[in-house]
Amino acid sequence: MGELVAVLSGKGGTGKTSVCAGIATALAQEGKRVLCIDCDVGLRNLDISLGMTDCGALSFWDVCQGGYGLEQAAAHPDLPSLRFLTAPVNRPAQEISRAAFSEMLRRARGEFDYIFLDAPAGVDAGFHLAAEPADRFLLVTGPGPAAVRDAARVADLLELMGKRNVRLIVNRVSRKMLRAVDLTVDDVMDTAGLPLIGVILEDQRVTLAASFGHPLLLYAPTCPAALAMKRIARRIQGYPVPLTLR
């Protein structure tokens, strides 16, 4: 059975969607069957980070309604084991049937190794849509105090929901900034109250890849951010990959 992975953030601007796309791409490169679902109704942009803006993707609501099957989810042009469903544009998250969404995810578990649910920032209806059915949670934060405080709030809410498999990703880390504010990644972990699964350095090639319509791991496979996302993908699979800032 496939695993449902919710990718969350408490605050916008953490790079959550780029991280979601990068980890999903890394798993697909290893031959895993991966489905990415954009749950950010109204502000969908996962297709940009995946390099799939021209793929004419179905929305997950199209599949939930039964008119289309999961086999019709958009296939990545360069990674045949990676598929994508976008968010609907004309249906608010609070109006989406949880039963229909859960049934679609149940079927997806039988067809994919990993199903990534890219949630909107914050803790509104789209957050609950992604978080309630998930098995594993990747909480993405920046190193700044506001982002870390918001991540801690999300962690507390997940705990109240009875969710346990929550791991922290500290993204867009600048060594210079950390030194300037006398902050360490350990401080971020302590504030958020979560174990760490990865640290991703600030890297301009993340933005450049999206601008050129390519997934980061195909555009700049050896850049620091891409390598960090590959390490996180390995840790998700259970491999003992050391944490490092490089």
Side-chain angles (χ1 to χ4, degrees), residues 140-169:
V140 182
T141 182
V148 175
R149 178 183 292 177
D150 288 344
R153 179 186 174 212
V154 173
D156 289 343
L157 180 55
L158 289 171
E159 185 175 4
L160 289 172
M161 293 169 65
K163 305 299 185 179
R164 295 290 180 263
N165 193 6
V166 187
R167 297 293 182 269
L168 186 70
I169 296 174

Side-chain angles (χ1 to χ4, degrees), residues 127-233:
F127 163 85
H128 288 279
L129 183 70
E132 287 171 4
D135 308 306
R136 181 194 295 264
F137 304 86
L138 302 177
L139 181 51
V140 182
T141 182
V148 175
R149 178 183 292 177
D150 288 344
R153 179 186 174 212
V154 173
D156 289 343
L157 180 55
L158 289 171
E159 185 175 4
L160 289 172
M161 293 169 65
K163 305 299 185 179
R164 295 290 180 263
N165 193 6
V166 187
R167 297 293 182 269
L168 186 70
I169 296 174
V170 187
N171 189 35
R172 308 186 69 174
V173 173
S174 162
R175 292 190 184 93
K176 182 178 180 180
M177 186 276 287
L178 291 177
R179 288 194 299 269
V181 298
D182 194 26
L183 185 70
T184 70
V185 173
D186 285 340
D187 296 327
V188 175
M189 290 171 58
D190 289 343
T191 302
L194 291 172
L196 188 69
I197 196 172
V199 178
I200 304 172
L201 291 174
E202 179 73 65
D203 195 325
Q204 65 179 355
R205 280 158 292 201
V206 175
T207 302
L208 289 173
S211 298
F212 287 116
H214 299 299
L216 175 67
L217 274 69
L218 298 183
Y219 175 77
T222 61
C223 74
L227 293 176
M229 293 173 190
K230 290 178 183 179
R231 290 193 293 270
I232 294 170

Side-chain angles (χ1 to χ4, degrees), residues 1 3 33 39 52 81 110 119 131 133 162 165 175-176 199 207:
M1 292 291 286
E3 184 176 33
R33 298 168 300 162
C39 297
M52 297 184 69
S81 67
N165 193 6
R175 292 190 184 93
K176 182 178 180 180
V199 178
T207 302

Side-chain angles (χ1 to χ4, degrees), residues 16-26 36 46 49-50 82 215 217 229:
K16 167 189 58 64
T17 294
S18 296
V19 171
C20 177
I23 297 170
T25 300
C36 288
L46 181 56
S49 295
L50 289 171
L82 177 60
L217 274 69
M229 293 173 190

